[in-house]
Amino acid sequence: MRCAGTKRLEELCAQNQHSSFSGLKPRFNAKKEATFHSSAKRTQTQLQKPQSKSGDEDIKQWNVAISSYMRNGRCNEALRVFERMPRWSSVSYNAMISGYLRNGEFETARKMFDEMPERDLVSWNVMIKGYVRNRSLGKARELFERMSERDVCSWNTMLSGYAQNGCVDEARRVFDRMPERNEVSWNALLSAYVQNGRLEEACVLFDSRENWALVSWNCLLGGFVKKKKIVEASKFFDGMSVRDVVSWNTIITGCAQNGKIGEARKLFDESPVKDVFTWTAIVSGYVQNRMVEEARELFDKMPERNEVSWNAMLAGYVQGERMDMAKELFDVMPFRNVSTWNTMITGYAQCGDLSEAKSLFDKMPKRDPVSWAAMIAGYSQSGHGHEALRLFVQMEREGGRLNRSSFSSALSTCADVVALELGKQLHGRLVKGGYESGCFVGNALLLMYCKCGSIEDANDLFEEMTGRDIVSWNTMISGYSRHGFGEEALRFFESMKREGLKPDDATMVAVLSACSHTGLVDKGREHFYTMNQDYGVRPNSQHYACMVDLLGRAGLLEEAHSLMKAMPFEPDGAIWGTLLGASRVHGNTELAEIAADKIFAMEPDNAGMYVLLSNLYASLGRWGDVSKLRVRMRDKGVKKVTGYSWIEIHNKTHTFSVGDEFHAERDEIYAFMEDLDLRMKKAGYVSKTSVVLHDVEEEEKERMVRYHSERLAVAYGIMRVPQGKPIRVIKNLRVCEDCHSAIKCMAKITGRVIILRDNNRFHHFKDSSCSCGDYW
């Protein structure tokens, strides 16, 4: 439809074809600005002349047309009308400026305001509001101070601008300067206090006057709920003489979200008026309190439902891992938004049903960053790291917007599969996207570098981080510990304390691990026995496991066993496993068998513990006991975990198993291994065949250890990784003693730096030594 007054406007336009503005382009350019500036003088003269009544009526018609075009987003048409006007009033300018601001054309509005021949109070207020909406509070304040005349609207605009941008103290200063205030003024300051968590000041302001509007009562009630002060909220609600549906919805939501679902239901039943939000609040409350049956009962009674209602009920089934019921509800939903699809995808992914999650993901009519992040996280957390990274690359190719969550999941996956090169590329994209500075992504980057074996890059990033929290420090302490640099880990611990951060449970686990990996027994004992007194950290099972490991590595097996007996809780399988591992290293069969019996009773399917005990028997030549263990494993259906190693080269991952027969370059690798083996023997390397768990000839044992997966991966790295770059290999199991010695020799004769991550720690091989100091 044509806007009001269009017919009269067409007549006026026909009469004014001679206007100097006709035929110009609808946007401000250099030619137009010059014409606009010269014509402004003519208009100012016209405005000073008395006008006829009919002329004023005509101008009103022009202004009405401008406002109508602007309301409909038709800025170009509005400008054409403005250009053809016989003269301009301040109302004409104000209509244009406010229209441009409404349609996001801030710069055009600013230029027109600056060129105005005469401004009235409305002009100033409109432009100040434009600066506020553009978050240019400094410019808004500058304009405000230039005003010769202000009304309450001027003051409220500045007050609201500061309030909405979190500048509460500045908002209060404006409020205190105001010559007069209205309800908008009081409510703006009250909202500023509430929205920024300054509830005490909000209460003081509220108590300073009477006759508050209902919207203000609801605002403060919402403040109590937001701060989880439900007792105070309930008392405040009881004191309200007038309540509307917003009041009831706020208190019901507050009670439901803070564990008072019984009180929420009572209020729901008492509420004299209920809308769809009231019903949704109580349904969501039941869902959040994991009372899905009660939620469904009310959901079925709802007189009307909206998207939030359906999504809340769906989330209840997903949280309870009742994906069959979730699917049933999903299939009958009258409308689905992207959040609906994301909830289902997340639910299937968390239940491990990645095929169903991917099927839904592929069917989505529209995806958002949460959709991609949910699917990437699902693959990553289920151990499908390479699928997660492939999906991340696909997201970028399809133009999917990256967010912190998708970056974090991708970085976590890079850490798990040691994809350092891709991790570095992600780091570069994070910097470009402006995500790097925050702790959330910064800590994910730190962990990625630590887990990928690049502790130097982690340290460089840590030094550059502007916001470091306890997680940042714990990651570095743990990183240095796992890399075998215990002294450096402890230096970070002391630096953290000097920064004023209080150590937590995770900090002390990292500190005790550092002492364990480095053999600092006395320091470890000191930290363990004083951490409760010094930092309020009570020893838990992880701390005890670290101490048992520390004492066990040092050969203090009886002390470790005594500590376990004195624990305030029963040792779990992990602690007994630590004692078993130490007993194997130090050849204590009696203690190893005690530990093994405990573990087999707790975790009868733990293949790793069978292997540790079998290793001990084999090292002592007790082949009969080795055979008995194998029979026991077979009878119980326990299967040994297959060992494999992998290496990333040019963004491609190469995986090896023992005696690998499937790699495309197999023949070249084995030929290189034969030559390398001869060079190693000339350098003095002798195989430690005691690690072989089979009663075979010595020559056969040497052949068996020569082609372990980690040695094949390292050999391939020597072949393909450019000279001067570290070779980074990961193994899913602990590196065997013979391979550890062999890789030290390989590093020496090739002059390469080799970094190996097994399931326990990092080993940095250089020349003929390892960062673990052979204390592993």
Side-chain angles (χ1 to χ4, degrees):
M1 294 181 65
R2 293 191 298 176
C3 61
T6 300
K7 186 175 180 180
R8 173 62 178 152
L9 172 64
E10 289 172 349
E11 295 173 358
L12 292 169
C13 286
Q15 296 169 12
N16 288 280
Q17 290 300 314
H18 63 279
S19 169
S20 60
F21 287 97
S22 61
L24 292 178
K25 292 182 181 178
R27 289 294 178 93
F28 274 78
N29 53 30
K31 183 179 179 182
K32 178 184 291 184
E33 287 188 4
T35 307
F36 180 75
H37 185 71
S38 62
S39 297
K41 294 180 180 178
R42 172 178 61 83
T43 305
Q44 187 172 7
T45 303
Q46 289 176 338
L47 285 170
Q48 292 170 354
K49 295 179 182 179
Q51 299 294 325
S52 67
K53 185 176 179 181
S54 61
D56 288 342
E57 288 299 323
D58 288 344
I59 292 300
K60 285 182 182 178
Q61 293 294 327
W62 292 88
N63 292 340
V64 167
I66 289 171
S67 297
S68 182
Y69 278 131
M70 284 298 192
R71 277 195 301 273
N72 289 280
R74 298 165 67 180
C75 299
N76 292 345
E77 288 91 333
L79 181 59
R80 279 194 286 270
V81 171
F82 180 79
E83 289 170 342
R84 292 174 180 177
M85 291 179 69
R87 66 182 182 84
W88 299 310
S89 69
S90 59
V91 176
S92 313
Y93 278 100
N94 294 342
M96 289 296 296
I97 293 169
S98 62
Y100 278 129
L101 291 172
R102 185 185 300 115
N103 289 284
E105 296 281 351
F106 175 79
E107 281 302 316
T108 309
R110 183 189 62 76
K111 288 177 182 177
M112 182 166 276
F113 176 82
D114 290 343
E115 295 289 346
M116 278 185 74
E118 184 176 320
R119 305 182 185 105
D120 60 13
L121 184 57
V122 174
S123 315
W124 289 91
N125 286 345
V126 166
M127 199 61 226
I128 289 172
K129 191 172 184 179
Y131 275 115
V132 166
R133 285 181 176 173
N134 204 44
R135 295 181 178 272
S136 301
L137 294 182
K139 291 288 186 183
R141 183 60 176 268
E142 185 181 310
L143 211 61
F144 177 80
E145 297 297 345
R146 285 168 50 195
M147 292 177 71
S148 57
E149 177 190 1
R150 305 183 188 106
D151 63 3
V152 70
C153 180
S154 318
W155 289 94
N156 284 343
T157 300
M158 285 307 306
L159 171 59
S160 299
Y162 283 125
Q164 291 164 9
N165 286 278
C167 306
V168 184
D169 293 330
E170 197 60 45
R172 182 62 198 240
R173 281 191 281 273
V174 171
F175 180 84
D176 290 339
R177 285 179 56 194
M178 292 180 72
E180 64 171 313
R181 307 176 185 118
N182 59 14
E183 283 297 327
V184 174
S185 319
W186 287 92
N187 198 58
L189 185 60
L190 182 71
S191 297
Y193 282 134
V194 168
Q195 294 301 319
N196 289 277
R198 294 164 67 163
L199 201 55
E200 290 183 9
E201 290 163 282
C203 290
V204 170
L205 181 70
F206 194 84
D207 292 339
S208 70
R209 73 186 288 258
E210 298 178 354
N211 301 320
W212 286 90
L214 180 56
V215 66
S216 304
W217 283 85
N218 287 339
C219 175
L220 188 53
L221 178 64
F224 285 120
V225 168
K226 185 178 179 181
K227 296 288 280 186
K228 302 185 184 298
K229 293 181 177 289
I230 304 305
V231 174
E232 293 87 341
S234 298
K235 184 178 178 181
F236 186 78
F237 177 80
D238 291 340
M240 293 176 68
S241 57
V242 179
R243 303 168 185 146
D244 62 5
V245 69
V246 174
S247 319
W248 287 95
N249 291 351
T250 302
I251 192 65
I252 290 169
T253 301
C255 290
Q257 290 179 346
N258 290 278
K260 295 183 178 291
I261 189 63
E263 183 65 22
R265 180 58 189 265
K266 180 174 176 290
L267 287 163
F268 174 81
D269 292 337
E270 292 173 359
S271 177
V273 56
K274 302 180 180 73
D275 61 10
V276 67
F277 301 103
T278 320
W279 285 88
T280 302
I282 193 67
V283 169
S284 297
Y286 277 125
V287 165
Q288 289 170 7
N289 286 275
R290 307 233 172 225
M291 301 170 69
V292 70
E293 297 302 333
E294 291 83 349
R296 184 58 190 260
E297 182 184 350
L298 274 180
F299 179 81
D300 289 338
K301 293 178 181 178
M302 290 181 71
E304 64 170 317
R305 307 181 186 110
N306 59 15
E307 287 185 357
V308 180
S309 318
W310 285 94
N311 285 342
M313 195 64 244
L314 186 71
Y317 286 128
V318 168
Q319 288 170 11
E321 298 185 356
R322 296 173 61 179
M323 293 308 298
D324 54 339
M325 294 298 294
K327 181 67 163 60
E328 184 180 303
L329 191 69
F330 178 81
D331 288 341
V332 299
M333 288 177 71
F335 32 65
R336 303 167 184 157
N337 57 21
V338 69
S339 178
T340 314
W341 291 85
N342 291 344
T343 299
M344 289 295 291
I345 290 168
T346 301
Y348 279 121
Q350 289 176 346
C351 291
D353 192 348
L354 291 176
S355 61
E356 192 64 36
K358 187 62 164 62
S359 175
L360 279 177
F361 179 81
D362 292 338
K363 293 175 185 175
M364 285 183 76
K366 181 182 179 182
R367 302 182 186 118
D368 67 1
V370 176
S371 318
W372 290 98
M375 202 63 234
I376 292 168
Y379 278 127
S380 177
Q381 292 163 10
S382 299
H384 296 79
H386 296 295
E387 283 298 322
L389 293 180
R390 270 194 287 272
L391 196 63
F392 185 86
V393 172
Q394 179 188 340
M395 175 181 66
E396 288 197 293
R397 285 175 180 165
E398 293 185 11
R401 187 165 59 86
L402 306 176
N403 65 1
R404 294 178 190 274
S405 182
S406 54
F407 267 124
S408 183
S409 294
L411 287 169
S412 176
T413 303
C414 289
D416 290 338
V417 302
V418 194
L420 180 62
E421 292 306 314
L422 180 56
K424 286 184 174 181
Q425 292 171 26
L426 289 176
H427 188 175
R429 291 171 199 166
L430 282 163
V431 173
K432 186 177 180 180
Y435 288 113
E436 184 190 26
S437 57
C439 277
F440 181 72
V441 171
N443 290 339
L445 276 169
L446 283 179
L447 186 62
M448 184 274 294
Y449 280 123
C450 286
K451 279 192 168 185
C452 286
S454 188
I455 194 69
E456 300 86 358
D457 285 324
N459 184 71
D460 291 343
L461 174 64
F462 180 83
E463 294 298 331
E464 293 171 3
M465 285 177 67
T466 52
R468 298 188 296 224
D469 60 8
I470 188 70
V471 176
S472 316
W473 286 93
N474 288 350
T475 301
M476 290 305 299
I477 295 168
S478 178
Y480 274 112
S481 169
R482 290 196 68 199
H483 281 264
F485 305 115
E487 295 284 359
E488 189 62 32
L490 295 179
R491 278 195 288 274
F492 261 81
F493 176 59
E494 295 301 323
S495 296
M496 185 191 83
K497 290 192 292 182
R498 285 194 296 272
E499 291 282 331
L501 277 78
K502 185 179 179 182
D504 61 9
D505 289 3
T507 313
M508 297 316 298
V509 168
V511 167
L512 293 174
S513 294
C515 294
S516 176
H517 288 311
T518 320
L520 301 172
V521 177
D522 292 336
K523 274 189 177 293
R525 282 200 193 102
E526 179 186 344
H527 286 304
F528 179 77
Y529 289 111
T530 62
M531 65 184 188
N532 188 18
Q533 177 184 339
D534 292 348
Y535 317 117
V537 177
R538 289 180 174 275
N540 59 30
S541 61
Q542 285 184 293
H543 300 118
Y544 275 100
C546 289
M547 277 305 294
V548 171
D549 187 49
L550 170 70
L551 297 170
R553 287 174 187 271
L556 304 171
L557 298 177
E558 292 303 327
E559 184 179 346
H561 194 201
S562 298
L563 179 65
M564 291 171 64
K565 292 176 182 177
M567 285 169 56
F569 41 79
E570 285 296 314
D572 58 18
I575 295 177
W576 281 112
T578 301
L579 185 65
L580 173 56
S583 300
R584 182 196 69 81
V585 171
H586 295 285
N588 190 325
T589 310
E590 180 182 354
L591 203 51
E593 289 176 336
I594 292 172
D597 287 341
K598 293 284 187 181
I599 295 167
F600 297 152
M602 295 179 187
E603 303 172 7
D605 298 328
N606 192 328
M609 298 301 106
Y610 284 97
V611 172
L612 278 177
L613 187 59
S614 183
N615 283 347
L616 176 58
Y617 288 149
S619 66
L620 298 173
R622 294 170 55 175
W623 299 109
D625 289 321
V626 171
S627 297
K628 288 177 184 177
L629 271 181
R630 285 183 182 148
V631 170
R632 186 175 177 182
M633 289 177 70
R634 185 187 63 208
D635 292 344
K636 289 184 174 292
V638 178
K639 295 184 178 180
K640 181 181 175 182
V641 177
T642 302
Y644 58 92
S645 303
W646 65 92
I647 182 172
E648 180 200 16
I649 299 176
H650 303 310
N651 281 342
K652 183 179 179 182
T653 301
H654 300 261
T655 305
F656 297 88
S657 58
V658 60
D660 197 283
E661 296 286 336
F662 302 103
H663 196 278
E665 299 174 73
R666 171 188 173 279
D667 292 340
E668 190 176 352
I669 293 169
Y670 278 97
F672 180 78
M673 286 284 291
E674 292 295 329
D675 177 67
L676 191 61
D677 190 55
L678 290 174
R679 293 167 63 192
M680 288 165 63
K681 287 180 178 178
K682 287 181 181 178
Y685 162 73
V686 177
S687 296
K688 295 187 177 182
T689 55
S690 58
V691 300
V692 178
L693 304 182
H694 300 275
D695 187 15
V696 295
E697 295 296 326
E698 195 69 19
E699 186 176 342
E700 178 61 15
K701 288 183 180 181
E702 285 188 18
R703 191 196 67 79
M704 292 171 73
V705 297
R706 185 184 307 158
Y707 301 119
H708 276 185
S709 65
E710 56 264 56
R711 286 170 74 166
L712 290 171
V714 169
Y716 188 66
I718 295 171
M719 291 169 58
R720 296 290 179 254
V721 175
Q723 190 74 31
K725 293 188 67 175
I727 296 164
R728 304 175 193 276
V729 171
I730 184 171
K731 183 176 182 180
N732 67 323
L733 302 175
R734 179 172 167 148
V735 62
C736 80
E737 190 177 354
D738 178 65
C739 287
H740 189 268
S741 298
I743 296 172
K744 284 197 297 183
C745 187
M746 292 162 82
K748 179 183 178 181
I749 64 175
T750 62
R752 305 298 297 268
V753 173
I754 301 168
I755 301 171
L756 170 67
R757 186 184 106 187
D758 65 14
N759 69 342
N760 187 51
R761 64 176 298 162
F762 280 89
H763 299 268
H764 290 246
F765 299 95
K766 186 177 181 180
D767 296 328
S768 58
S769 63
C770 178
S771 60
C772 71
D774 296 335
Y775 192 82
W776 57 284

